[in-house]
Amino acid sequence: MTDINEAQELVPVAAAVTDESKSDAVEKPEPNLTDTSTDAAASAAITPIDKHWDQTSKKVVVHNVLKFIRPNEISKLTSSWTKDTDIVIVKTKKPPKENWIKVTLETEDMVDQFIKLINEGGDDGNAMKNSRGGNMFAKRALDMDDRDNKKRGRDNDDDEISNGRDAKRAAVVSKVLSNDEVRDAITPLWRKSYEEQLDLKAKEMVNKCSKNIIKEIKKKFRTLEHEARRGNRSSVKQYSWLDTKLAISIEQPVPSPQVYEYRNKVEFTAGYRNVIVETGYANESNGDKKSDETSETPSNIRKIPAAGFLASGWAGGVTSPHCLQNTPDWACSIADILNEYLPTSPLKPYDSKIHRGFFRSFTIRCSLRTREIMVIVVHAPAKGGVGAAEDGSDDFSAVFEEEKTKLVELLTRDVLAVPKRDFPADFVREEIVDGQGCDGLKVTSVFFQEFDGLSQPGPDHPVQHVFGKTCLEEKLGQCTFQISPGAFFQTNTRGAEKLYNIVVERIKEVTTDPKQTLLFDVCCGTGTIGLTCLKEGVVGKLIGLDIAEPAICDAKVNAAKNGFSTGDNTDAVKNHSITRFIASPAEKVLAEEMKSVPKSTPVVAVVDPARDGLHGTVVQTLRKNEKIDRLVYVSCNPTGTLVRDAAMLCGPPTKKYPGRPFRVRIAQPVDMFPLTNHCEMVMTFERMSKEEYKQYHGSTETKSITKSITGIHQLTRILTISIMLMKLLITALAIGAAIGETDSSNLRGRELADTKKVCIYLGRKFGSQTFDVPSEKFRFYISSSRVFPAASGECDPDLVKNLSTEDLRIKKFCRLFKHTLNEYWTVDAISAATDWMLANEFEQGSCTNKNTYGTLHMEHLKEVNQNKFDDLYEELVDLMSNFTYEELVRSALAFFACFLHEAHKIHSFHCSWMLSMHSMIFGMEITPAIEELTDL
Ligand SMILES: C[S@@+](CC[C@H](N)C(=O)[O-])C[C@H]1O[C@@H](n2cnc3c(N)ncnc32)[C@H](O)[C@@H]1O
């Protein structure tokens, strides 16, 4: 599981508290969360919730308007309501498919008048009616977010109205969560017995993993059949195992040796804790908390700088970890130290929405076996982050060094105190084999890490070592491992031993000559799996690949620590050394490395990718290399990317994935994360025999077949592209151009182009916004089906030339956009999108086949944490809604440049073609400014 994944697990945001049941279950807060213990230091730092939202007080939401209204008709409609009155509407907002419109009035005085008008201004003195005769009703837009004065009242309140989920999220903003709510959010299975949890996970693996893999493989056969029919060829017979009852049977999950307090790593977010300083909720007495949650916003909530988990989204404040059964004492003890320090510090928690503040997060790792603890303090630049105010109020450099020393001193001076926990009343603590509680534990190393990016620093991001040891040591099985701050390590130590033992067993089953057998450990991290296999004697040689340099440095040290030699050149493993570790994306080096293995060497492979699964090229290489008969896939995303990768490994050979297919032999879930919904899977694949392959495909020569297919395909592609280039030239000259994106938004774009408006369309949820456009030349629109904004239309080449990198907001926009690309788009998705733009639909000027592009890119999108995505999106929308038209166009160009830049990295032929296409259409020159933006 990746660090990001861990973060998702421990920092689940809004979704986790959005169930009806949870919201209904809001109780009067438990003492520890209300924190009436606000000491002097804390009260000094208390930030009262500011009641003065900038625009919200002028906003009204009109409900029961029709869902489908053409964007160009929205302002016509709203002005018809206020005809013959003095009410002035300055802005309207209507998300597509929602039946409400939000209007911003010129002054606050107009609000009551407007509400009265809608609610009583109909012909008969009743409410005004929509065009179908239904009554509309108006309500003040609700105050939602207390974090960000600048942002307030723009979009958050939309969310509250737009759907129940977000309404609930909004509702928790001003509440203090009870311990049960925190547990529900972060350890959702805590109410179930451990047996029930395992059963639930087993069922999930059957329904969402094994069944879906089979479905996906069958789909591939159907596609082949369809193609064969079109090409008048005979089709491939579906593999008979797919229809057997136990095609992929799921074993009962291996339980975690420790159900509680199993985490060896926690990641606290720096933020503010909601604290009740007086007593009671404002309207607690009415007993009806569900009816209008925000109206009961307590006036007595205060915010205190704190470190903890985000149990209810960014806006909900951080919560204390003391009530969580998966979190050990040492983590709570460090939270106590941080929570004593933060309210007194002039260094403020960072606000990721406005990019101001200092402390971002605290990562803590502990080995109970070696009694070591590492703390990594992630912070914004001391001089101020990207959103720093110009008046210098975000410049903390004068106090930074002093505060750093103070914090390190607090963290390291004593053994950790035993924290006061808030476990459920009937909770019985397990005996923890590797040591109980905080007994004698001390922080042994501290790092500071400056980070000014959007989400989390990557594994290679530099750290500053400020105290103690430079790494943490952990023991697993017979091995000892060094772990650097940026390196991945499994978060459940004893669970990891179980996991690795299973991998060892699966390899042992097939190695007849272990000493000669070479293991490829793909995504090896600090070398844990490979070195364990070596130590257990099931293989004799090891090549480990990982993208993270610090992890590979650790792996090399770890090899030596455990008695194995390491070599650095290609022949190292072949001739002299037992191990070789390579810091590189596996997709770049795996094929070459495999090529250099002598024919006589038996090879097995283990892959343990991050949540986004294996790169397509890695799957391709593993599949093509028929020397690998056994492949062990360790997955932390068994219902997502494992399904995709397994289907590519086991499906019929195609031009992209040639080679005899694999078949799933054993699917063994391992519960590494009790109390949560996550489950690890060890899926063992075995290569189909040549004989069996022949039965289905008539020949064992998979390569020659695919080669010819690939050749024809390339030729067809080049021809298609040349023809399209000509067509495009003609189209571009004649009618300008429309670069299509998704179906609905593309149509909308064309429609808007006709109305000479510019539109920001950011998905259904966030709606659209139209601007008057100064000239026809500026027709433009931006859209997104999910996370990918795209632009269409014509624009003035001068705008491109003048694109400046000075504007912080455009810079921020590009950062956000790049972030969406990197976070949510896989290489395959970008590749599919460029393919699509170039091939299927482009010549038609709009997307008529609704499925082509959608399917192409959707199926490759990474599984996302929806809440994280929503946050990002809100930020994008927020930013864009304040742009002038020209800024908008410039940003759109810049994000096109970002997209092209990313696409270019994977798809150089296509992309260079795309660049020329864009320069033709937009007169778009890749100026130094655009280059600078793409490199952000
Ligand atoms: C789930 S961890 C597994 C690490 C190791 N097998 C273990 O159990 O500790 C996934 C690893 O994949 C690495 N990784 C991510 N993308 C990669 C890529 N494209 N090529 C190689 N390694 C990658 C990460 O750095 C991380 O160490």
Side-chain angles (χ1 to χ4, degrees):
M1 180 167 273
T2 58
D3 289 357
I4 283 179
N5 191 29
E6 289 158 22
Q8 286 173 356
E9 188 209 344
L10 269 180
V11 191
V13 279
V17 283
T18 52
D19 286 355
E20 291 291 327
S21 58
K22 286 162 204 157
S23 189
D24 287 347
V26 172
E27 295 160 9
K28 192 161 174 162
E30 301 287 326
N32 78 311
L33 283 171
T34 38
D35 206 352
T36 38
S37 67
T38 40
D39 49 33
S43 32
I46 279 171
T47 314
I49 293 173
D50 190 343
K51 280 285 172 197
H52 301 287
W53 321 136
D54 51 352
Q55 286 291 315
T56 310
S57 53
K58 295 183 205 162
K59 291 186 182 195
V60 176
V61 180
V62 182
H63 295 264
N64 206 23
V65 188
L66 294 191
K67 268 191 190 171
F68 300 98
I69 302 175
R70 284 169 173 270
N72 56 328
E73 285 173 1
I74 295 172
S75 52
K76 244 193 259 168
L77 174 70
T78 52
S79 20
S80 74
W81 297 337
T82 52
K83 205 171 69 180
D84 304 329
T85 70
D86 297 333
I87 302 170
V88 182
I89 295 175
V90 291
K91 204 161 142 190
T92 59
K93 195 161 190 176
K94 180 188 177 303
K97 298 198 179 173
E98 294 294 343
N99 70 349
W100 53 267
I101 295 181
K102 187 168 72 173
V103 300
T104 308
L105 302 167
E106 193 178 54
T107 64
E108 271 186 58
D109 302 342
M110 294 175 185
V111 169
D112 286 336
Q113 204 188 336
F114 181 77
I115 292 176
K116 197 162 178 223
L117 179 75
I118 299 292
N119 295 348
E120 298 170 22
D123 293 341
D124 46 5
N126 288 326
M128 279 189 175
K129 299 209 179 318
N130 65 29
S131 59
R132 293 222 179 112
N135 282 348
M136 301 191 294
F137 69 96
K139 246 172 111 171
R140 274 177 187 273
L142 299 165
D143 299 346
M144 302 295 302
D145 195 342
D146 53 335
R147 281 166 62 91
D148 177 356
N149 273 335
K150 274 195 170 166
K151 228 184 95 55
R152 268 174 209 142
R154 286 209 294 270
D155 286 291
N156 286 347
D157 39 359
D158 290 350
D159 288 353
E160 198 270 346
I161 304 152
S162 67
N163 64 47
R165 189 181 67 74
D166 288 330
K168 298 292 179 226
R169 171 162 69 160
V172 280
V173 168
S174 47
K175 280 181 181 166
V176 177
L177 298 178
S178 72
N179 284 338
D180 279 1
E181 283 175 306
V182 176
R183 288 184 202 114
D184 284 341
I186 294 172
T187 50
L189 305 186
W190 73 278
R191 294 173 195 270
K192 298 189 188 300
S193 72
Y194 193 46
E195 287 68 34
E196 284 172 324
Q197 292 179 35
L198 291 177
D199 284 348
L200 199 84
K201 291 185 186 187
K203 275 191 201 125
E204 172 113 339
M205 290 304 129
V206 172
N207 291 331
K208 296 196 184 155
C209 178
S210 78
K211 281 188 182 169
N212 285 347
I213 294 175
I214 293 165
K215 235 191 254 171
E216 285 299 311
I217 300 174
K218 287 185 172 177
K219 216 177 353 174
K220 288 185 194 297
F221 274 102
R222 280 200 302 276
T223 313
L224 278 188
E225 200 182 312
H226 186 68
E227 280 174 7
R229 237 185 280 135
R230 276 202 317 204
N232 221 1
R233 284 179 273 116
S234 59
S235 92
V236 181
K237 211 174 104 201
Q238 187 177 293
Y239 304 145
S240 59
W241 68 268
L242 287 165
D243 285 321
T244 57
K245 202 167 171 210
L246 293 175
I248 301 175
S249 75
I250 300 282
E251 306 291 317
Q252 189 61 15
V254 171
S256 169
Q258 205 171 316
V259 179
Y260 304 112
E261 301 178 73
Y262 56 82
R263 291 201 64 99
N264 59 27
K265 178 182 176 188
V266 292
E267 205 164 304
F268 293 135
T269 302
Y272 291 88
R273 187 164 33 139
N274 292 341
V275 168
I276 293 180
V277 285
E278 290 156 31
T279 49
Y281 283 92
N283 63 350
E284 191 179 36
S285 54
N286 74 9
D288 182 16
K289 287 183 180 150
K290 205 184 156 199
S291 59
D292 187 357
E293 307 231 24
T294 47
S295 71
E296 64 176 274
T297 302
S299 58
N300 50 355
I301 284 186
R302 296 291 182 272
K303 298 201 161 267
I304 298 181
F309 294 137
L310 283 168
S312 59
W314 290 106
V318 296
T319 55
S320 154
H322 294 61
C323 61
L324 297 167
Q325 291 129 294
N326 66 347
T327 309
D329 270 4
W330 51 261
C332 299
S333 182
I334 290 177
D336 287 340
I337 297 175
L338 294 171
N339 288 329
E340 190 187 317
Y341 164 76
L342 288 171
T344 65
S345 173
L347 302 173
K348 298 289 168 226
Y350 185 78
D351 186 325
S352 61
K353 293 203 169 165
I354 50 174
H355 303 283
R356 293 175 65 179
F358 182 79
F359 287 115
R360 298 184 65 138
S361 64
F362 304 91
T363 300
I364 304 140
R365 280 180 154 157
C366 172
S367 165
L368 286 175
R369 292 175 175 178
T370 62
R371 318 300 292 165
E372 291 180 356
I373 295 184
M374 173 191 281
V375 179
I376 306 159
V377 178
V378 183
H379 61 88
K383 272 194 161 318
V386 67
E390 276 169 13
D391 62 5
S393 54
D394 294 308
D395 185 348
F396 301 108
S397 40
V399 288
F400 173 49
E401 288 301 329
E402 194 185 323
E403 287 300 308
K404 185 158 82 178
T405 312
K406 202 163 141 191
L407 178 57
V408 174
E409 160 72 9
L410 279 173
L411 285 167
T412 57
R413 74 179 165 202
D414 295 319
V415 291
L416 296 181
V418 179
K420 192 175 157 292
R421 303 297 301 258
D422 291 296
F423 290 131
D426 56 352
F427 176 65
V428 182
R429 272 182 116 157
E430 276 171 308
E431 190 197 334
I432 296 171
V433 176
D434 300 318
Q436 191 80 40
C438 289
D439 253 3
L441 277 174
K442 259 189 115 169
V443 172
T444 47
S445 54
V446 182
F447 294 84
F448 271 60
Q449 185 173 44
E450 181 182 305
F451 180 61
D452 201 16
L454 285 166
S455 57
Q456 285 176 314
D460 293 335
H461 198 80
V463 287
Q464 188 198 3
H465 176 239
V466 292
F467 174 84
K469 293 187 65 174
T470 51
C471 53
L472 184 94
E473 203 158 80
E474 178 61 290
K475 288 178 193 296
L476 278 186
Q478 298 184 56
C479 296
T480 305
F481 297 103
Q482 135 172 342
I483 314 160
S484 296
F488 172 90
F489 201 81
Q490 297 287 352
T491 49
N492 176 345
T493 307
R494 292 175 63 208
E497 278 174 342
K498 288 252 174 190
L499 184 81
Y500 295 166
N501 283 343
I502 292 166
V503 177
V504 166
E505 281 308 307
R506 293 293 115 85
I507 291 176
K508 198 170 158 189
E509 282 164 9
V510 289
T511 47
T512 46
D513 186 0
K515 273 228 151 66
Q516 290 311 311
T517 304
L518 167 65
L519 171 68
F520 273 95
D521 185 354
V522 179
C523 303
C524 65
T526 56
T528 44
I529 296 183
L531 292 171
T532 304
C533 290
L534 274 179
K535 199 81 175 176
E536 295 293 331
V538 294
V539 294
K541 293 173 184 229
L542 166 67
I543 294 182
L545 315 171
D546 199 282
I547 199 168
E549 182 100 43
I552 288 296
C553 292
D554 286 347
K556 288 178 183 170
V557 173
N558 291 335
K561 255 185 202 299
N562 293 289
F564 305 109
S565 56
T566 302
D568 264 337
N569 59 43
T570 317
D571 289 338
V573 174
K574 215 166 46 180
N575 301 328
H576 323 289
S577 311
I578 292 173
T579 68
R580 166 165 153 75
F581 288 101
I582 305 164
S584 166
E587 56 274 22
K588 287 208 174 139
V589 290
L590 182 63
E592 270 312 299
E593 287 298 316
M594 284 202 166
K595 245 190 229 164
S596 67
V597 178
K599 275 203 163 118
S600 56
T601 306
V603 178
V604 282
V606 176
V607 296
D608 182 7
R611 226 181 138 64
D612 47 358
L614 289 174
H615 189 283
T617 310
V618 174
V619 177
Q620 208 176 46
T621 308
L622 292 167
R623 185 159 169 161
K624 229 163 46 180
N625 265 282
E626 295 185 4
K627 260 177 91 65
I628 303 172
D629 273 330
R630 175 150 289 203
L631 166 68
V632 182
Y633 191 135
V634 179
S635 171
C636 57
N637 190 358
T639 57
T641 46
L642 176 62
V643 173
R644 178 199 67 196
D645 294 349
M648 295 200 286
L649 288 165
C650 300
T654 59
K655 59 185 180 302
K656 200 165 173 195
Y657 297 102
R660 270 182 290 135
F662 286 95
R663 178 179 168 180
V664 178
R665 269 292 149 221
I666 309 172
Q668 177 64 70
V670 183
D671 186 20
M672 300 280 282
F673 309 101
L675 312 168
T676 76
N677 287 311
H678 295 272
C679 190
E680 200 88 0
M681 169 70 87
V682 183
M683 194 165 268
T684 306
F685 294 88
E686 208 158 77
R687 181 84 64 178
M688 180 186 270
S689 70
K690 285 189 177 168
E691 293 67 40
E692 195 181 350
Y693 184 82
K694 210 169 165 183
Q695 277 176 30
Y696 291 106
H697 301 278
S699 157
T700 51
E701 286 302 308
T702 59
K703 275 180 202 156
S704 58
I705 297 166
T706 44
K707 247 189 203 161
S708 58
I709 295 173
T710 314
I712 293 167
H713 179 74
Q714 295 282 11
L715 197 66
T716 324
R717 217 172 218 191
I718 291 168
L719 274 174
T720 318
I721 289 171
S722 319
I723 294 166
M724 275 177 36
L725 184 60
M726 290 180 70
K727 278 189 182 175
L728 178 69
L729 256 171
I730 299 163
T731 319
L733 286 172
I735 57 164
I739 298 198
E741 207 255 333
T742 59
D743 27 82
S744 57
S745 44
N746 190 39
L747 297 175
R748 177 182 287 273
R750 307 204 92 212
E751 187 185 296
L752 280 158
D754 295 339
T755 61
K756 297 181 194 130
K757 297 260 184 206
V758 66
C759 168
I760 305 176
Y761 177 87
L762 275 160
R764 290 184 185 99
K765 189 169 161 203
F766 295 102
S768 58
Q769 194 153 353
T770 53
F771 293 81
D772 284 324
V773 179
S775 90
E776 207 170 316
K777 212 170 183 189
F778 289 92
R779 290 196 304 244
F780 203 88
Y781 91 111
I782 296 174
S783 77
S784 169
S785 56
R786 188 170 151 127
V787 287
F788 171 54
S792 164
E794 256 185 294
C795 76
D796 186 342
D798 283 346
L799 277 178
V800 186
K801 282 200 197 114
N802 298 335
L803 181 66
S804 150
T805 54
E806 297 297 295
D807 188 330
L808 202 65
R809 290 184 305 160
I810 291 182
K811 250 184 167 163
K812 187 173 161 191
F813 182 91
C814 284
R815 266 183 213 273
L816 283 168
F817 177 66
K818 260 198 118 169
H819 186 60
T820 62
L821 276 178
N822 293 332
E823 283 278 313
Y824 306 121
W825 278 60
T826 62
V827 171
D828 280 350
I830 295 183
S831 163
T834 48
D835 269 354
W836 178 84
M837 286 195 192
L838 290 172
N840 301 327
E841 309 291 340
F842 187 83
E843 55 196 309
Q844 294 164 29
S846 85
C847 182
T848 47
N849 175 357
K850 292 197 171 202
N851 290 327
T852 317
Y853 180 51
T855 321
L856 267 174
H857 81 85
M858 285 307 200
E859 74 177 348
H860 295 302
L861 283 175
K862 291 178 193 172
E863 251 206 2
V864 299
N865 174 341
Q866 191 58 34
N867 302 303
K868 213 168 145 192
F869 162 65
D870 282 354
D871 282 339
L872 201 66
Y873 230 51
E874 271 178 38
E875 243 183 295
L876 263 177
V877 175
D878 241 17
L879 199 67
M880 288 171 75
S881 60
N882 274 337
F883 277 164
T884 62
Y885 176 70
E886 292 203 359
E887 284 167 340
L888 193 71
V889 173
R890 286 202 177 116
S891 305
L893 287 167
F895 77 57
F896 249 138
C898 284
F899 179 78
L900 292 178
H901 187 80
E902 293 298 304
H904 190 65
K905 285 197 272 188
I906 339 152
H907 234 282
S908 55
F909 169 64
H910 281 175
C911 197
S912 51
W913 194 78
M914 274 182 80
L915 281 173
S916 55
M917 184 170 90
H918 278 77
S919 57
M920 257 193 320
I921 297 165
F922 290 142
M924 178 165 169
E925 210 182 296
I926 305 299
T927 61
I930 288 184
E931 262 168 21
E932 193 189 325
L933 287 167
T934 60
D935 281 340
L936 284 176

